[in-house]
Amino acid sequence: MVFGTSSDAGGGSSRTLRSRRSLLRAASGLGVAALAGGTLTGCSQSSSGATRVRLWSWLTGMDQYVAAFNASQRDVHVELSVIAAGTSGGYAQQTNAIRAHNAPDILHTEYQALPQIVTTGGLRDLTDDVADLADGFLPAAWRSVRPDGRTWAVPMDFCPMAFFHRKDLFDKAGVQVPRTWEEFAEAAAAVRRTDPRARITTFPLNDGAFFAGMAWQAGDPWWRVAGDSWQVGIDTKGTMGMAGYWQDLVSSGKVAHTPTADQSWISSLHQGRLWGMLGATWGVGVMKRSLPTAKGKWAVTTLPTWGDKAVNGAFGGSAFAVAAQSEVPEAALTFLRWLSTDPAVPRIGAKVTFPSPAYLPSRKVAREAYKNEFFAGEPLFDVFDRAATRVPDWTWGPTSLSVFSSIADVLAPVPTGGTTIPRALHTLQSSTVATMRERGLAVRNGGRA
């Protein structure tokens, strides 16, 4: 059974849940029992007598959220330590702290990294603690914090993907904004005919998280659970179809393949040489910061679809877990419930970023609080609310982060013809299976390689 599907919501049999947890923990060989003797260092009370909760996070605006929470009551006092973003060192720092028995009470994790952190045995099982919240979240976000049918974190935000485009340039050239990927390929050719220097977008070959988001839309989760084994299927039908499509566009020069968000990319946007970006909700802030003089030129729509099937991928989003070592789990959960569900949070978020809460009532608050003065076209929350409901089931495995890194390596030769995107996926499939087996996991090769 696939991790995180709605059929897991009821918990399943205890034997099944135990076997799934063992699959996760076997990746590191470190279970909760190995950590039971560890305790947090330092006093659990602040100078005011409130219960002290330590939080590590890199989330934009977290300092303001913490300040608002601390000002709202006297029983719990959260102390924030800002750490590097997850793949820039934050995950290693948290994992090392778990192993050293000095983890903070609350840890920050993106959805794709959660199974890997669960393998440390260092997270508190929150299944019973937050069961009452389940129906309040976007289904895809809630499934993402339940990799083995148990709840290991509380969702904060969720980032469905979208197509950001220069509405003014599309309108002027008479090019229809594509609704399907077939129309997208036609639009890509039309953009190049209009301006030989211009491209409809870039397909960044160095970004594993982006590539996974595009594969998510195409279907076929890369990891599944088959009995007591992981089934790995990266080079299966959905992902391979998506890969072949983009290989044609890259090799024909109809799309660029340069990284997103570097200086060359920003320059191309300023000069009108890139008419679009495949991104997610965080792209609202990226565009506003990168193109402050482009007000009214850009619009956002849901991703083009494969045929008439209305499915969307996701690219990012955060959740927060409680350390198994924490001496103050109830106080930590008091903050996490506030962070994920209190209407003050999206109102604060609307001032510092584009809020994309995972909690459904907070999405309504965010819609009212955020003032869009940059984008033309359809209202942003109409687009992203529709996209969020289209995100299907997906499984993240215990080696997701290393796979992201490997994607950049195996796709690096694509621009020079050293390989193709489909061939690179066969290589990735083989290396992923081998790596998981080296870590002592039972693995079935479910790919086509």
Side-chain angles (χ1 to χ4, degrees):
M1 189 176 292
V2 177
F3 283 6
T5 60
S6 57
S7 59
D8 287 335
S13 70
S14 60
R15 181 183 180 279
T16 300
L17 291 175
R18 283 197 300 271
S19 66
R20 291 177 179 176
R21 287 197 291 273
S22 67
L23 281 171
L24 286 167
R25 289 172 183 156
S28 67
L30 180 61
V32 172
L35 296 166
T39 58
L40 291 173
T41 61
C43 180
S44 60
Q45 284 191 328
S46 69
S47 58
S48 65
T51 301
R52 185 177 73 116
V53 173
R54 292 194 301 155
L55 161 67
W56 288 2
S57 176
W58 59 86
L59 188 71
T60 300
M62 182 56 78
D63 57 336
Q64 298 186 44
Y65 301 138
V66 167
F69 172 80
N70 287 339
S72 71
Q73 48 79 59
R74 297 181 178 181
D75 295 330
V76 178
H77 183 83
V78 176
E79 295 183 357
L80 170 66
S81 294
V82 177
I83 61 174
T87 54
S88 299
Y91 293 132
Q93 185 176 352
Q94 292 182 133
T95 299
N96 290 338
I98 289 171
R99 296 183 185 280
H101 310 302
N102 191 33
D105 300 292
I106 299 175
L107 301 96
H108 185 172
T109 175
E110 296 161 293
Y111 299 115
Q112 65 266 23
L114 181 60
Q116 190 161 321
I117 298 178
V118 171
T119 66
T120 68
L123 301 185
R124 176 185 173 92
D125 183 342
L126 303 180
T127 305
D128 295 333
D129 298 316
V130 297
D132 60 303
L133 297 179
D135 293 339
F137 288 93
L138 286 166
W142 188 249
R143 288 193 297 266
S144 294
V145 297
R146 295 172 53 83
D148 62 346
R150 308 294 290 176
T151 307
W152 296 101
V154 182
M156 169 67 178
D157 57 3
F158 190 73
C159 303
M161 297 185 74
F163 179 47
F164 296 74
H165 58 278
R166 280 286 300 268
K167 184 178 185 301
D168 61 331
L169 295 181
F170 274 86
D171 289 348
K172 182 179 179 180
V175 177
Q176 181 181 348
V177 176
R179 295 168 298 174
T180 67
W181 288 116
E182 181 180 4
E183 292 178 357
F184 189 91
E186 296 169 356
V191 168
R192 192 173 178 185
R193 287 195 301 270
T194 301
D195 181 354
R197 303 177 308 156
R199 299 294 182 270
I200 191 171
T201 193
T202 185
F203 187 83
L205 297 172
N206 69 326
D207 193 333
F210 164 80
F211 192 89
M214 298 299 290
W216 190 336
Q217 184 199 26
D220 293 344
W222 290 355
W223 288 272
R224 300 177 188 270
V225 171
D228 289 338
S229 300
W230 286 97
Q231 180 170 304
V232 182
I234 294 174
D235 59 351
T236 47
K237 183 177 179 180
T239 301
M240 291 296 284
M242 180 273 294
Y245 172 88
W246 286 103
Q247 178 64 45
D248 289 343
L249 291 182
V250 170
S251 60
S252 66
K254 293 176 184 174
V255 299
H257 51 75
T258 51
T260 297
D262 66 6
Q263 194 55 49
S264 174
W265 176 81
I266 294 173
S267 176
S268 295
L269 294 178
H270 276 289
Q271 297 170 14
R273 290 188 285 112
L274 276 178
W275 287 25
M277 178 187 77
L278 296 167
T281 51
W282 44 259
V284 172
V286 170
M287 287 294 185
K288 290 177 65 177
R289 289 191 301 272
S290 302
L291 305 166
T293 63
K295 178 180 177 181
K297 295 181 179 180
W298 288 83
V300 187
T301 188
T302 50
L303 285 183
T305 61
W306 296 105
D308 295 329
K309 190 175 182 181
V311 177
N312 216 87
F315 181 7
S318 291
F320 291 85
V322 177
Q325 306 165 14
S326 175
E327 296 179 332
V328 291
E330 293 82 7
L333 281 164
T334 296
F335 174 68
L336 291 190
R337 281 177 171 270
W338 180 91
L339 182 67
S340 293
T341 68
D342 196 282
V345 176
R347 293 190 184 109
I348 296 169
K351 298 176 182 178
V352 297
T353 184
F354 177 76
S356 183
Y359 189 60
L360 292 169
S362 291
R363 296 186 72 83
K364 297 179 182 178
V365 176
R367 177 188 286 265
E368 296 171 356
Y370 184 81
K371 305 304 178 185
N372 170 41
E373 298 177 348
F374 183 84
F375 290 92
E378 188 176 6
L380 295 178
F381 280 95
D382 286 359
V383 174
F384 287 117
D385 282 351
R386 187 165 64 251
T389 63
R390 295 179 175 181
V391 178
D393 288 356
W394 182 263
T395 304
W396 294 116
T399 57
S400 298
L401 298 180
S402 61
V403 168
F404 285 3
S405 177
S406 297
I407 287 172
D409 294 335
V410 299
L411 295 183
V414 169
T416 60
T419 190
T420 64
I421 300 175
R423 283 205 303 269
L425 291 180
H426 291 312
T427 300
L428 184 64
Q429 167 73 17
S430 299
S431 65
T432 301
V433 169
T435 297
M436 292 178 66
R437 286 175 176 166
E438 288 170 1
R439 296 187 182 184
L441 292 165
V443 180
R444 296 184 185 181
N445 189 335
R448 298 165 61 185

